Amino acid sequence: DRLKAFSQEAEKAFEEASLGISTRRAQLVTAQRETRRTIKAQQAQRKRHETKQRAAKLPTGLKALWFRLMGRYAKVKAENERAFEACEQRDREEWQRVVEKQLADRQRLKAELDAAKSRLRETKREIAELELDSSQKASQRAINRHSNTLKQSRQRRRQPS
């Protein structure tokens, strides 16, 4: 009975830990989605702003014609393309850092859950060993009692009445 109670306590502790971890995971998922949404919006806004800035560097009208004739238009356009690629790379790296951090956060929670599962398995294994030991000892006691009873009955038969 004590082993059964101990087993139930271990299962209850696991359920409580699991529920806590599940709650924290749900909160984490919600927060991470919001973070990704915010970063996407910030990157889109920054991209629009930087695109306008680059476009402003390109001349229009007669000035554009003059820049083309002088070869400066191609240089400005090439600079803009390099700046665009650098901005795209920066945004990809920023996104990758966010994703990696979020994965690490989720993996920490998963490790906590795995540890709780492992503790429960270990506790159940120990309880099973104790139950086995207990049943083996009980069996051994029964065998010993039976053996003693047989010895006593043999001795009684040998003794003259």
Side-chain angles (χ1 to χ4, degrees), residues 29-94:
V29 167
T30 301
Q32 288 179 344
R33 282 183 184 147
E34 183 58 34
T35 299
R36 289 192 305 270
R37 219 176 282 125
T38 300
I39 287 178
K40 272 188 179 178
Q42 288 172 345
Q43 286 182 346
Q45 181 181 7
R46 186 169 54 209
K47 185 175 185 173
R48 285 189 300 271
H49 176 71
E50 290 170 349
T51 299
K52 285 180 185 177
Q53 284 181 326
R54 287 189 298 273
K57 291 180 183 178
L58 288 172
T60 57
L62 288 177
K63 192 173 183 181
L65 182 60
W66 181 251
F67 267 56
R68 284 183 191 265
L69 289 173
M70 300 304 290
R72 291 173 54 194
Y73 190 88
K75 289 178 186 174
V76 172
K77 187 176 176 185
E79 284 177 23
N80 280 351
E81 288 172 0
R82 283 191 300 276
F84 173 77
E85 285 302 319
C87 292
E88 288 291 306
Q89 181 65 29
R90 176 202 59 215
D91 288 349
R92 280 191 300 271
E93 288 171 359
E94 178 184 31

Side-chain angles (χ1 to χ4, degrees), residues 144-157:
N144 289 342
R145 278 194 307 271
H146 182 69
S147 178
N148 288 339
T149 304
L150 287 175
K151 284 180 187 176
Q152 290 171 358
S153 74
R154 283 187 200 135
Q155 287 173 353
R156 279 188 227 135
R157 278 188 254 149

